[in-house]
């Protein structure tokens, strides 16, 4: 029995959740999100709560029960509060700046600057040239964009230079031992 799937999703005021067939729509102050519901999953919206129920006890229905509940909960949270992911840039001469409403101009130690186009639904803010904050209503999209930016120059284990998540713990290596006889 799914413990996550049985928990009701509270719908805050100002958020509208609509179910049309197997499409779930959430509208709120931060935007609108759509999601396709898995088969054998039924969603009931009553008052200020949403309950996810499975139809049948086969393996796929049990597997999708908790997933559908979390997807709907993330949609409701995204359109009401939004999601945020922060990246920090470490390295001499490494910096970022925002050019235009949806372009990040990154200098990451390559021979050329990288112009990263932000997708629709994700906004960025750059503080003190080394801290990028991504915001958006779609949790998956914000995380994916953060991972794509990190992938441009992942942190290396010797000096720690590169793009990393704020609070990410790196395993550092010692490097060569100076003056080791050999």
């Amino acid at each position: 029995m799914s413990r996550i799937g049985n928990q009701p999703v509270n719908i805050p005021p100002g958020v509208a959740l609509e179910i049309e067939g197997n499409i779930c729509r959430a509208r709120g102050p931060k935007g609108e999100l759509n999601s396709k519901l898995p088969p054998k999953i039924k969603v009931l919206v009553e008052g200020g709560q949403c309950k996810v129920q499975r139809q049948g006890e086969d393996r796929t229905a049990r597997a999708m029960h908790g997933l559908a509940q979390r997807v709907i909960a993330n949609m409701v949270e995204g359109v009401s509060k939004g999601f945020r992911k922060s990246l920090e840039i470490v390295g001499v001469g490494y910096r970022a700046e925002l050019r235009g409403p949806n372009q990040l101009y990154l200098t990451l130690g390559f021979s050329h600057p990288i112009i990263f186009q932000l997708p629709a639904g994700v906004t960025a803010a750059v503080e003190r040239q080394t801290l990028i904050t991504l915001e958006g209503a779609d949790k998956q999209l914000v995380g994916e964009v953060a991972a794509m930016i990190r992938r441009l120059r992942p942190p290396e284990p010797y000096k720690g230079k590169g793009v990393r998540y704020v609070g990410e713990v790196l395993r550092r290596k010692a490097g060569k031992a100076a003056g080791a006889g050999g």
Side-chain angles (χ1 to χ4, degrees):
M1 191 148 131
S2 174
R3 293 189 178 123
I4 297 288
N6 289 329
Q7 294 176 356
V9 177
N10 293 322
I11 302 170
V15 174
L17 190 68
E18 301 167 359
I19 310 297
E20 295 174 9
N22 66 341
I23 302 292
C24 180
R25 280 193 181 84
R27 282 195 201 99
K30 297 279 184 177
E32 180 179 338
L33 293 175
N34 300 325
S35 179
K36 185 177 176 187
L37 294 172
K40 299 184 182 178
I41 296 294
K42 184 179 176 187
V43 178
L44 301 171
V45 180
E46 309 170 328
Q49 285 191 335
C50 167
K51 292 183 180 161
V52 180
Q53 298 173 344
R54 62 177 177 246
Q55 298 171 325
E57 288 297 319
D58 60 328
R59 187 180 184 107
T60 57
R62 287 194 318 265
M64 296 293 150
H65 189 199
L67 173 75
Q69 191 272 355
R70 287 313 318 157
V71 167
I72 292 171
N74 285 338
M75 286 171 52
V76 168
E77 185 179 345
V79 297
S80 62
K81 299 177 193 170
F83 290 100
R84 175 183 295 217
K85 204 77 146 153
S86 297
L87 299 163
E88 64 180 332
I89 301 173
V90 178
V92 177
Y94 289 18
R95 67 179 53 85
E97 81 180 76
L98 202 55
R99 291 194 178 172
N102 56 355
Q103 276 190 345
L104 267 176
Y105 188 83
L106 301 162
T107 308
L108 298 175
F110 296 115
S111 62
H112 58 282
I114 298 168
I115 299 171
F116 186 84
Q117 188 73 31
L118 293 170
V122 176
T123 59
V126 178
E127 297 121 36
R128 40 174 226 271
Q129 295 185 334
T130 58
L131 189 66
I132 303 169
T133 304
L134 301 169
E135 290 186 50
D138 191 353
K139 184 176 187 176
Q140 180 179 349
L141 185 62
V142 170
E144 194 174 322
V145 170
M148 286 166 44
I149 293 173
R150 185 183 183 275
R151 214 175 297 132
L152 295 173
R153 177 68 96 172
E156 53 98 10
Y158 296 103
K159 293 183 181 177
K161 293 165 39 171
V163 180
R164 66 175 85 166
Y165 299 112
V166 170
E168 180 180 2
V169 178
L170 290 179
R171 295 190 67 186
R172 300 286 298 268
K173 292 184 178 178
K176 289 184 183 180

